[in-house]
Amino acid sequence: MAGPDSKDFMNSQHFSTKERILGAAEQLFARLGFAGASLRQVTAAANVNLAAVNYHFGSKENLINEVFRRRLDELNAHRLQALDEALKLPDTGLEPLLSAFINPALDLSLDRGGGGAFVRVLARAYAEHNDALRKFLSDNYGHVMKRFHAAFAQRLPDLDKEELYWRLDIVAGALTYAMADFGVIKRKSGVTEQQHRERSAEHLIRFAAAGLRAP
Amino acid sequence: MAGPDSKDFMNSQHFSTKERILGAAEQLFARLGFAGASLRQVTAAANVNLAAVNYHFGSKENLINEVFRRRLDELNAHRLQALDEALKLPDTGLEPLLSAFINPALDLSLDRGGGGAFVRVLARAYAEHNDALRKFLSDNYGHVMKRFHAAFAQRLPDLDKEELYWRLDIVAGALTYAMADFGVIKRKSGVTEQQHRERSAEHLIRFAAAGLRAP
DNA sequence: GTAGCATTCAAACGCCCGTTTTACCTACGA
DNA sequence: TCGTAGGTAAAACGGGCGTTTGAATGCTAC
């Protein structure tokens, strides 16, 4: 009756125990939260022994960190690459910078294979304000936000440093939340995935630019 | 050494058991999440017996609902009142509608007495996508969003119904997240609380209007 | 004062949690 | 062929969870 759907598909022998745990954890953290999803649920969904989490990751907290690392390494690399290219162009305002930040995440949220779940996990992390997690993210990816911060600061010279800092934080939070919902919303028929992605990005960029340029 | 600070203050005899539980639950749900905060933590913070939660509220899930009801009854009444006044004026665009939605929440997030914590609880609820909670909110406060939806639809006639629906959802989510952070951010010295509130509202309204007007 | 009800309390219920332990596989290089 | 290391397995650890119980209290109305 039920063929292997996309959720169970990766619980097969084609993926290592570590990969299956990470995939199942991502799905369940997105759905139930970090505190709400138990290791017993994760290991059952991954078709793996309960002790495997502590064997491969040491602890639940570290598993959470690795769920982030797996996606953020690539995501932030794409962001920095896009930022570099945006900075090569003549100064054309905030929009190219926002594109560099948003488009890699939107690609992730719309692709197959769990990226959509991860974007929802990210949205949860923002809402959580979890200290340990924030430290991990700051330690590992703080330099990315620093690069973006510097680029925005250069294009918004009248905004003082502190003001810019929390505006970027709010913009990042709002965008993260919005992208988490884009993954859930199905696009209208007659619109290709590519068109949907481009329109979504446009909306978000206008949205964010207006917030940042507020006097 | 430690006088009664604002957190412990309401754990006194001046408040009923129910009120103390609601206050403590709000604080802890904001900090630790619904799954992360236990009834033992809540009752200890409220200086109340563990069994009091189930006696007065029946279950943890119902306690969560009542935490929302206590604030949302008043918040949404203020929103509808502000909406009615905005609709009396000649059509002046989206901004007055957004004001009617944002200002009551911003008042709550900046006031004393736990309102700030509640706005963070709201942000968590948005990120959670919890079905039971969404049903409760939709059952009890769906009519408010319907009123706003109708008002926005009238001012955005070129936007189709479905598109408007999820734009409003995203805007509400982004604003909720942003307001949760406003409560945390301390205003700069030399700026009165009133000024801070008005500037925050302005930024958010521009932000949201741009998102809604996107072509 | 006492009956009756609402509330509070300490204790226990069964269950699930993250983690650890210990034994058992199963390769692969010596 | 054997020894060993890396991985998996089942079971148990102590502890915290939401909820229930039944007795002890406080309070109001007669």
Side-chain angles (χ1 to χ4, degrees):
Chain A
M1 190 172 295
D5 65 14
S6 66
K7 201 182 70 184
D8 302 328
F9 176 67
M10 61 162 297
N11 306 348
S12 71
Q13 301 300 93
H14 301 298
F15 294 88
S16 72
T17 297
K18 275 180 96 158
E19 285 166 335
R20 277 184 282 160
I21 291 171
L22 287 169
E26 186 175 71
Q27 298 285 336
L28 285 163
F29 288 157
R31 185 138 37 94
L32 306 171
F34 304 113
S38 74
L39 294 187
R40 281 169 173 80
Q41 291 174 287
V42 169
T43 52
N47 217 15
V48 147
N49 187 273
L50 168 61
V53 168
N54 287 280
Y55 178 78
H56 286 286
F57 297 96
S59 67
K60 182 179 184 178
E61 185 177 318
N62 200 245
L63 168 62
I64 295 172
N65 290 346
E66 293 306 314
V67 165
F68 280 94
R69 191 196 306 280
R70 181 174 68 145
R71 303 281 186 190
L72 288 183
D73 280 350
E74 193 186 357
L75 173 61
N76 280 328
H78 286 168
R79 278 175 169 166
L80 286 180
Q81 187 180 327
L83 178 61
D84 284 335
E85 285 181 21
L87 291 176
K88 278 184 203 150
L89 303 172
D91 185 337
T92 49
L94 304 175
E95 284 76 2
L97 305 185
L98 289 167
S99 279
F101 187 81
I102 288 173
N103 279 328
L106 213 48
D107 287 340
L108 190 60
S109 79
L110 295 177
D111 88 346
R112 314 274 159 278
F118 178 70
V119 179
R120 298 205 304 283
V121 172
L122 258 189
R124 272 184 188 276
Y126 263 97
E128 295 246 343
H129 282 265
N130 177 299
D131 283 343
L133 190 52
R134 272 174 119 80
K135 183 181 181 336
F136 171 83
L137 295 175
S138 158
D139 286 352
N140 287 277
Y141 307 104
H143 66 286
V144 177
M145 287 314 291
K146 275 220 175 68
R147 289 277 325 272
F148 274 94
H149 179 93
F152 279 109
Q154 188 209 322
R155 280 164 160 81
L156 290 164
D158 295 338
L159 212 57
D160 77 54
K161 213 176 150 70
E162 193 186 0
E163 183 91 357
L164 175 60
Y165 238 117
W166 68 256
R167 274 195 204 186
L168 280 180
D169 182 52
I170 287 176
V171 165
L175 296 183
T176 300
Y177 173 79
M179 285 185 288
D181 257 21
F182 274 119
V184 174
I185 294 155
K186 39 190 182 308
R187 67 178 196 275
K188 299 195 293 190
S189 57
V191 179
T192 69
E193 177 126 349
Q194 183 63 15
Q195 287 173 322
H196 180 61
R197 206 199 63 79
E198 280 167 8
R199 289 187 194 173
S200 302
E202 269 179 43
H203 298 177
L204 290 175
I205 288 165
R206 281 167 196 261
F207 204 89
L212 288 173
R213 277 201 262 259
Chain B
M1 189 175 293
D5 64 15
S6 65
K7 200 181 70 184
D8 303 328
F9 177 67
M10 60 162 297
N11 308 349
S12 71
Q13 302 301 93
H14 302 298
F15 294 89
S16 72
T17 298
K18 275 179 96 158
E19 285 165 337
R20 276 182 282 159
I21 290 172
L22 286 170
E26 186 175 70
Q27 299 286 335
L28 286 163
F29 289 156
R31 185 136 38 92
L32 306 172
F34 305 113
S38 74
L39 294 186
R40 280 168 174 81
Q41 290 174 287
V42 169
T43 51
N47 216 18
V48 146
N49 187 273
L50 168 61
V53 170
N54 288 279
Y55 178 78
H56 286 286
F57 298 96
S59 67
K60 182 180 184 178
E61 185 176 318
N62 200 246
L63 168 61
I64 295 173
N65 289 346
E66 294 306 312
V67 166
F68 280 93
R69 192 195 305 280
R70 180 173 70 144
R71 303 281 186 191
L72 287 184
D73 281 351
E74 193 186 358
L75 173 60
N76 280 327
H78 286 168
R79 279 176 167 165
L80 286 180
Q81 187 181 326
L83 178 61
D84 284 335
E85 286 182 22
L87 292 176
K88 278 182 203 151
L89 304 173
D91 185 336
T92 50
L94 305 175
E95 283 76 3
L97 306 186
L98 289 166
S99 280
F101 187 81
I102 289 172
N103 278 329
L106 212 49
D107 287 340
L108 190 59
S109 80
L110 295 175
D111 89 344
R112 313 274 161 278
F118 178 70
V119 179
R120 298 204 304 283
V121 172
L122 258 189
R124 272 184 189 276
Y126 264 97
E128 294 246 344
H129 282 265
N130 177 298
D131 283 343
L133 189 53
R134 272 175 118 80
K135 182 181 181 337
F136 171 84
L137 296 176
S138 158
D139 287 351
N140 287 276
Y141 307 105
H143 66 286
V144 177
M145 286 314 290
K146 275 220 175 68
R147 289 278 326 272
F148 273 94
H149 179 93
F152 279 110
Q154 188 208 323
R155 281 163 159 81
L156 290 165
D158 294 338
L159 213 56
D160 77 54
K161 213 174 150 68
E162 194 187 0
E163 183 90 358
L164 175 60
Y165 238 117
W166 68 256
R167 275 196 204 186
L168 280 180
D169 183 53
I170 288 174
V171 165
L175 296 182
T176 301
Y177 173 81
M179 284 185 288
D181 257 23
F182 273 118
V184 174
I185 295 155
K186 40 191 180 308
R187 66 177 197 274
K188 298 194 294 191
S189 58
V191 179
T192 69
E193 176 126 349
Q194 182 64 15
Q195 287 173 322
H196 179 60
R197 206 198 62 79
E198 280 166 9
R199 290 186 193 175
S200 302
E202 268 178 44
H203 297 177
L204 290 175
I205 288 165
R206 282 167 196 261
F207 204 89
L212 288 174
R213 277 200 261 259

